Amino acid sequence: MLPLILLMFCALFEASPTTLEERSTSSNASLLWGPYRPNLYLGIRPRIPNSLLMGLMWSNADDPSDILKTKLQDLRHTCEQDEGMAGYGWTAYDVRKGGMQIVNDTGNKLDLITQFAKVSSDDERGTKWGLRVRGIPRANARDHQKTTVIFYLGNEDSKSRIECAEGHTTDLSNGDVICDGTMVGLQNFKLQIPGHRSDSDSVQKTSIKSLTVPTETIWEAKSIFADQLKGSDSREGMVADNPGEGNLHFVQKNFEGGFELDVLFSSDSTSAAMTSSSLTEGIQEALSTFSKRFQSVYSLQAPFQDEQYVKFSQSLLSNLMGGIGYFYGTSKVDLSSAPEYAENDQNIGENAAPARVRAAAAVVEEQGPYQLFTAVPSRPFFPRGFLWDEGFHLQVVLDWDMDLALEIFSSWLNLMDENGWIAREQILGPEARSKVPSEFQTQYPHHANPPSLFLVVQAFVAKLNGESPFSGAPSQYLSDSAAAKDFLKTIYPKMKKHYEWFCRTQAGNLKHYQLPGYDFNQGYRWRGRTPQHIFTSGLDDYPRAQPSHPEELHVDALCWVGSMAVALGKISAFLGENEDQKVFSKHENDVGRSIDGVHWSEPDQAYCDTTVVDGNRVEKICHKGYISLFPFLVGLMGPDHSHLEAVLDLIRNPEELWSPYGLRSLSPKDKYYGTDENYWRSPVWININYMVMQRLLELAQQPGLHQQKARGIYTELRLNLGHTVFKSWKETGFAWEQYNPDTGKGQRTQHFTGWTSLIVRVLSMPDLQLASQPQVPGHAYRPANTDGWGLTLGLMVIGMLFVCFLFRKRLMRGWRGLMET
């Protein structure tokens, strides 16, 4: 029996990936393809630069001439806020498997269902997937409503080729469309669109238009299609049929009534091509797997356990992951290092503005190209990467698929320059820039952003240490401690570099802040300030010192430094970097001293920004709101902190931050409440409310002076937030960027399934009105026990590995012989 065990052990030893790169390649084959163009209702591409771009368009075609004359705006393609949708988005979606999206298109009187699935194949690249598009006329549609659907396939690489043709028939009726391609970075492939009939007796019409266009314009497929349609003499509103070779191919199909079409993709190396039946099986598996895992990962707690809340939560989670995209292109960066950017003069924002104008006209450069794999805050309005948003996105993704979250995290870290800077907005390439006003496109290497990504790694280390449960997808890092340590060793130097860059470039002047017996060495202010905004802080128009001053200090910037020090301290402890751990522990303590010594206002009983007036007098700038909560938000206040009660009182006071719909961003007592653009000057934001919930739950679950107060606030706030976001979603079909503190209605950007999806975590938090609740079971890596049997087992394993290494060839021959018999 022992020889058999040894042979099996050696087989596993030889077959398993042995390096971090091999493990990553094996894990990420399932991440190669996806609907990674989230700015489109449906856009598919691989995570490969300059490769295939695919997309879907559709429009009502009852009067074909209307498509061009008056209704080109009804030709759906990019996600927009003003197209009158009754709701759209993924109802169930997993990045590795696929899922289902429903688009309720009231303008075209059509409900469109898209189902995407990846199917396991013998091809290690995982290039076998399918898309199913179903159209269901809405109740107010005319009989035999006509719809035109366009699927396009573009090739950004001039060295590759694609040729499309219609199989089996020579006319435009009911024929398969087949496209064969050769692509750099991909294997040879075949894309097939089988012929289908619509619900009515009328046969669908098909037209294929193959073109060669400049590769940099392929993303503008809608405009190119419109130009081709204008040049067509078809009375059916179809492009002229002209299949063949090219780098952009439009496959247009006209339907009457309901319809269904499949798009099937297979690499040539697969033993069996993708079929409609295998697509059906893949869709069923993806939906079933999603539902089962959701119940395991997010066990909704009372009173949010009804089916309606499950559907709501699944929608928000799915749309966060359905908003994950792959971006490639250059980024506009101002490398002028203008002296005004040091912001050391009075009236900071006014002096820096002319320098930005000069740079825009002369020295802004396109850097890169870069690539980024990331979630986006909103598909219609913010379809690009935002640095501080992503730290919140990944806290949800981490629950679901740890390895996916860390893959995205690594993608962000790879954007870091040699100094440690990461641009706060990643506007990569012309397609991404098309959604951004020109004045916001340029990035500045002295501008920071809240380093929320550090929170993700901190949560990862907690799971490695067994401090928090995990029940998501199987993870290579939780199952293999060596892989986890390799990963942390890889990212740790870059995280330290970013920390050092942040502390260096955002450092404040503490000259006037020293007190007898105190030596404050930690103080920071955000660079990039204008008179009314600090976009770099993430809180945009939140009130700050007026006028601006080069010696003002921002309490939130200081707290983010403390948060980074905590995260780096935990990583260094895990890696055994003891000297680093001591350094970061000291930094954390220094930050804590400055928070209380520099930023606490005893008269206001709140944490505040500070500035210098009359040359040398320090003055607290107290605008009670989210800024006042930051030491609490990032976990720098223990359960016995002397100011904790005041912070809890500020949270719960209905005359300050408390509202029936969540915590306001600014107190109604503040003179700036609800003024000007009112972005962070009253609305309820879910990301900040979520951070409050985390801290309240910690306090409520450990003995202490404020346990009962925290428990009561936590219970009320959880109910308020859950009901607010759910009710607005039910009424409008969307999650929103922010919520009105007086009505609870969602407002500003719709389909904001970025950090608003954190509400799924809130609904899964325990209901502390119940007497007790067991911890949700999860899988956590814990260091091996080296006592007793642990030591014996460890020695046996080492011995078996040694034998395997010495006799691996002879043992494997024996193993194969045994398997053959």
Side-chain angles (χ1 to χ4, degrees):
M1 186 66 182
L2 184 59
L4 179 60
I5 294 174
L6 185 61
L7 285 169
M8 293 174 65
F9 190 87
C10 291
L12 291 172
F13 173 73
E14 182 159 307
S16 62
T18 57
T19 68
L20 182 62
E21 182 178 357
E22 288 172 340
R23 295 186 191 100
S24 180
T25 300
S26 175
S27 171
N28 293 329
S30 59
L31 299 177
L32 176 62
W33 283 93
Y36 294 148
R37 302 178 70 195
N39 58 310
L40 308 185
Y41 289 112
L42 196 287
I44 300 171
R45 67 165 301 158
R47 288 172 56 201
I48 297 176
N50 295 325
S51 57
L52 294 177
L53 295 182
M54 306 181 199
L56 186 72
M57 298 183 284
W58 72 91
S59 178
N60 180 276
D62 284 336
D63 184 350
S65 62
D66 277 353
I67 298 176
L68 277 179
K69 290 180 180 178
T70 61
K71 291 190 176 181
L72 191 58
Q73 67 270 21
D74 288 339
L75 182 61
R76 308 300 192 214
H77 183 225
T78 57
C79 299
E80 302 293 345
Q81 291 213 117
D82 56 358
E83 289 189 332
M85 296 289 182
Y88 64 90
W90 297 89
T91 60
Y93 180 73
D94 177 79
V95 180
R96 296 187 191 273
K97 290 185 175 294
M100 181 170 71
Q101 177 183 225
I102 299 177
V103 181
N104 302 124
D105 186 352
T106 55
N108 284 313
K109 300 177 182 178
L110 183 74
D111 289 334
L112 196 80
I113 300 172
T114 65
Q115 296 172 306
F116 178 80
K118 306 177 192 182
V119 176
S120 299
S121 74
D122 48 7
D123 176 6
E124 290 184 358
R125 298 284 280 175
T127 47
K128 193 172 177 181
W129 56 262
L131 167 69
R132 178 162 294 158
V133 181
R134 293 177 56 211
I136 304 173
R138 293 176 68 86
N140 61 340
R142 60 182 289 183
D143 292 341
H144 306 298
Q145 171 175 281
K146 295 181 180 179
T147 304
T148 188
V149 178
I150 304 98
F151 182 86
Y152 66 87
L153 170 69
N155 169 22
E156 292 183 304
D157 180 23
S158 58
K159 298 178 181 179
S160 304
R161 58 165 291 278
I162 303 174
E163 183 174 3
C164 292
E166 189 171 10
H168 307 307
T169 62
T170 56
D171 59 15
L172 297 184
S173 300
N174 204 33
D176 286 5
V177 175
I178 299 174
C179 298
D180 290 293
T182 301
M183 181 69 57
V184 174
L186 287 171
Q187 299 168 351
N188 294 350
F189 66 86
K190 185 183 299 293
L191 183 141
Q192 183 180 10
I193 303 178
H196 284 275
R197 292 180 179 271
S198 55
D199 287 347
S200 70
D201 294 332
S202 297
V203 177
Q204 65 176 15
K205 301 294 183 181
T206 301
S207 182
I208 307 170
K209 185 70 173 181
S210 298
L211 306 168
T212 298
V213 301
T215 56
E216 65 273 14
T217 67
I218 286 175
W219 66 273
E220 300 180 273
K222 179 176 177 178
S223 297
I224 296 172
F225 176 80
D227 290 341
Q228 293 298 314
L229 198 58
K230 291 174 184 176
S232 170
D233 59 1
S234 171
R235 286 176 291 183
E236 295 179 325
M238 303 188 76
V239 293
D241 189 57
N242 185 26
E245 191 167 334
N247 65 356
L248 181 60
H249 307 264
F250 295 102
V251 179
Q252 183 180 10
K253 289 180 177 285
N254 277 8
F255 299 96
E256 287 190 16
F259 59 87
E260 179 177 294
L261 68 87
D262 291 348
V263 178
L264 309 171
F265 184 96
S266 307
S267 60
D268 283 356
S269 63
T270 56
S271 58
M274 187 74 173
T275 64
S276 290
S277 60
S278 57
L279 172 58
T280 299
E281 294 173 0
I283 292 170
Q284 292 172 348
E285 180 186 355
L287 297 179
S288 174
T289 302
F290 176 86
S291 179
K292 291 176 182 177
R293 195 197 301 175
F294 184 87
Q295 295 175 17
S296 173
V297 176
Y298 289 109
S299 178
L300 304 187
Q301 302 299 309
F304 303 111
Q305 295 171 310
D306 293 347
E307 183 60 30
Q308 60 180 347
Y309 292 110
V310 173
K311 181 180 178 182
F312 159 68
S313 300
Q314 289 180 342
S315 172
L316 265 63
L317 172 66
S318 297
N319 282 292
L320 170 67
M321 294 193 296
I324 291 174
Y326 173 81
F327 302 88
Y328 180 78
T330 57
S331 176
K332 291 186 176 181
V333 181
D334 180 351
L335 298 175
S336 65
S337 300
E340 295 92 336
Y341 293 165
E343 301 181 8
N344 290 325
D345 300 323
Q346 300 283 346
N347 301 319
I348 295 167
E350 296 175 8
N351 293 337
R356 287 193 289 270
V357 173
R358 291 197 308 271
V363 296
V364 170
E365 300 181 17
E366 290 193 17
Q367 299 291 302
Y370 307 107
Q371 55 184 320
L372 177 64
F373 189 43
T374 185
V376 303
S378 168
R379 289 170 62 190
F381 204 74
F382 298 114
R384 55 192 181 276
F386 285 76
L387 181 57
W388 98 291
D389 292 62
E390 196 62 13
F392 294 102
H393 301 163
L394 293 186
Q395 293 184 59
V396 181
V397 177
L398 193 76
D399 293 334
W400 184 261
D401 187 331
M402 179 177 293
D403 295 7
L404 169 63
L406 297 180
E407 177 76 6
I408 293 173
F409 175 90
S410 298
S411 184
W412 272 95
L413 225 56
N414 288 337
L415 296 170
M416 186 181 298
D417 73 2
E418 66 274 11
N419 298 312
W421 172 67
I422 303 175
R424 67 186 186 91
E425 281 194 51
Q426 294 297 324
I427 312 168
L428 305 181
E431 185 170 13
R433 282 196 282 274
S434 69
K435 282 279 192 176
V436 185
S438 59
E439 63 268 27
F440 294 112
Q441 291 181 7
T442 301
Q443 303 297 298
Y444 300 88
H446 63 292
H447 286 185
N449 215 207
S452 60
L453 285 176
F454 281 64
L455 302 176
V456 179
V457 182
Q458 189 173 333
F460 172 55
V461 173
K463 294 184 187 301
L464 293 178
N465 288 328
E467 298 167 4
S468 66
F470 180 76
S471 53
S475 167
Q476 60 175 322
Y477 301 114
L478 290 184
S479 61
D480 185 347
S481 59
K485 186 162 287 189
D486 285 348
F487 176 79
L488 289 174
K489 285 180 179 178
T490 300
I491 66 172
Y492 181 54
K494 289 186 177 182
M495 293 181 70
K496 284 176 62 178
K497 181 184 285 189
H498 185 66
Y499 174 73
E500 292 162 358
W501 172 86
F502 191 106
C503 293
R504 182 175 65 253
T505 61
Q506 311 303 301
N509 187 338
L510 290 161
K511 174 183 177 182
H512 296 293
Y513 291 90
Q514 304 306 323
L515 298 173
Y518 293 91
D519 180 21
F520 298 117
N521 60 7
Q522 297 287 323
Y524 300 88
R525 65 180 172 92
W526 300 103
R527 300 312 197 266
R529 172 159 187 186
T530 69
Q532 298 298 326
H533 295 85
I534 307 182
F535 292 110
T536 51
S537 73
L539 303 182
D540 296 22
D541 66 336
Y542 193 98
R544 304 283 184 161
Q546 294 293 343
S548 58
H549 193 282
E551 292 183 75
E552 66 186 51
L553 297 177
H554 303 136
V555 64
D556 53 328
L558 174 64
C559 291
W560 281 117
V561 170
S563 176
M564 284 192 284
V566 171
L568 289 169
K570 291 184 180 299
I571 298 172
S572 59
F574 189 88
L575 295 177
E577 300 286 348
N578 297 330
E579 292 304 312
D580 278 7
Q581 185 184 5
K582 292 176 184 177
V583 170
F584 292 123
S585 178
K586 182 181 184 301
H587 288 185
E588 179 188 347
N589 291 333
D590 290 346
V591 167
R593 290 174 63 250
S594 290
I595 286 173
D596 291 326
V598 175
H599 289 282
W600 176 255
S601 172
E602 189 64 28
D604 295 285
Q605 288 291 287
Y607 291 104
C608 312
D609 287 344
T610 62
T611 193
V612 173
V613 297
D614 301 330
N616 61 4
R617 182 169 61 85
V618 172
E619 183 175 284
K620 302 288 193 304
I621 306 299
C622 287
H623 297 286
K624 291 183 180 180
Y626 287 167
I627 289 293
S628 315
L629 305 180
F630 258 86
F632 180 67
L633 295 179
V634 299
L636 297 178
M637 299 180 71
D640 300 320
H641 195 286
S642 59
H643 302 320
L644 181 57
E645 184 171 14
V647 171
L648 294 177
D649 288 343
L650 177 62
I651 289 172
R652 186 57 187 84
N653 189 343
E655 296 182 357
E656 300 283 8
L657 305 191
W658 190 265
S659 88
Y661 309 105
L663 301 182
R664 304 180 180 98
S665 43
L666 190 64
S667 168
K669 293 183 177 181
D670 195 280
K671 66 179 181 179
Y672 292 105
Y673 182 81
T675 59
D676 298 330
E677 65 187 273
N678 190 24
Y679 200 44
W680 290 85
R681 295 188 176 187
S682 76
V684 174
W685 290 81
I686 299 304
N687 64 325
I688 301 297
N689 275 264
Y690 168 74
M691 295 178 79
V692 172
M693 288 292 296
Q694 282 185 303
R695 302 287 85 82
L696 289 173
L697 180 58
E698 290 173 1
L699 288 174
Q701 291 186 320
Q702 58 182 313
L705 182 63
H706 307 293
Q707 182 181 23
Q708 291 307 313
K709 176 178 283 190
R711 183 185 183 116
I713 298 173
Y714 163 88
T715 299
E716 287 187 88
L717 183 58
R718 179 172 174 269
L719 293 175
N720 290 349
L721 292 171
H723 290 313
T724 296
V725 181
F726 170 74
K727 182 179 179 183
S728 184
W729 174 82
K730 190 173 182 179
E731 291 175 350
T732 66
F734 295 107
W736 293 84
E737 183 180 15
Q738 55 182 221
Y739 294 85
N740 189 294
D742 298 318
T743 66
K745 292 185 179 298
Q747 58 188 31
R748 298 188 77 98
T749 303
Q750 68 176 206
H751 211 291
F752 197 91
T753 48
W755 63 39
T756 299
S757 64
L758 286 164
I759 200 68
V760 180
R761 282 192 129 205
V762 173
L763 269 55
S764 302
M765 289 179 173
D767 175 17
L768 295 186
Q769 293 185 98
L770 301 178
S772 64
Q773 283 194 330
Q775 283 279 7
V776 177
H779 311 292
Y781 162 72
R782 292 175 174 80
N785 178 13
T786 57
D787 298 326
W789 279 103
L791 179 60
T792 303
L793 182 60
L795 292 173
M796 289 176 62
V797 170
I798 293 172
M800 293 172 73
L801 287 172
F802 184 68
V803 171
C804 285
F805 179 76
L806 289 178
F807 302 104
R808 59 189 182 279
K809 292 184 179 180
R810 188 175 301 175
L811 286 167
M812 287 310 299
R813 283 197 297 269
W815 170 256
R816 294 189 184 102
L818 181 63
M819 290 298 97
E820 290 172 1
T821 58

